Amino acid sequence: YIPARQAASLPAPTIHWMMDGAWDLMVVSEMPNGLGALDSHNPPGVVAFREAMLAQEGSEEAVTALNTEMDGLVEASQRYYSHTHP
């Protein structure tokens, strides 16, 4: 996924290994347009990433297979949205 993010001019996610609690790790992905990206069904960053994944994997089927494989590695997950203040 990181090469496709780079090809789409998106920053690589940051991995945080958890020291306690219920989770093993946390993946933090920056949203280039902030929470405003959620105001669109096709934000430019998501579109660019999808196109880069398709170019990287060669077909929709291959992208789906990779996503299925990755999903199989995840036992449980939770998604949070946050922001920072300068």
Side-chain angles (χ1 to χ4, degrees), residues 6-85:
Q6 291 170 333
S9 298
L10 298 171
T14 303
I15 308 297
H16 295 257
W17 297 98
M18 309 307 287
M19 303 304 288
D20 62 2
W23 303 104
D24 295 324
L25 62 92
M26 175 174 53
V27 179
V28 178
S29 294
E30 182 180 334
M31 296 172 69
N33 297 320
L35 294 175
L38 299 176
D39 292 337
S40 171
H41 293 289
N42 289 309
V46 172
V47 171
F49 175 70
R50 287 182 187 148
E51 289 173 356
M53 282 294 292
L54 182 58
Q56 174 182 295
E57 297 302 310
S59 70
E60 288 287 345
E61 294 79 14
V63 172
T64 299
L66 178 60
N67 289 336
T68 300
E69 179 182 353
M70 289 296 291
D71 289 346
L73 299 173
V74 177
E75 198 171 289
S77 68
Q78 182 70 46
R79 180 174 298 193
Y80 296 96
Y81 294 96
S82 68
H83 66 275
T84 60
H85 293 272

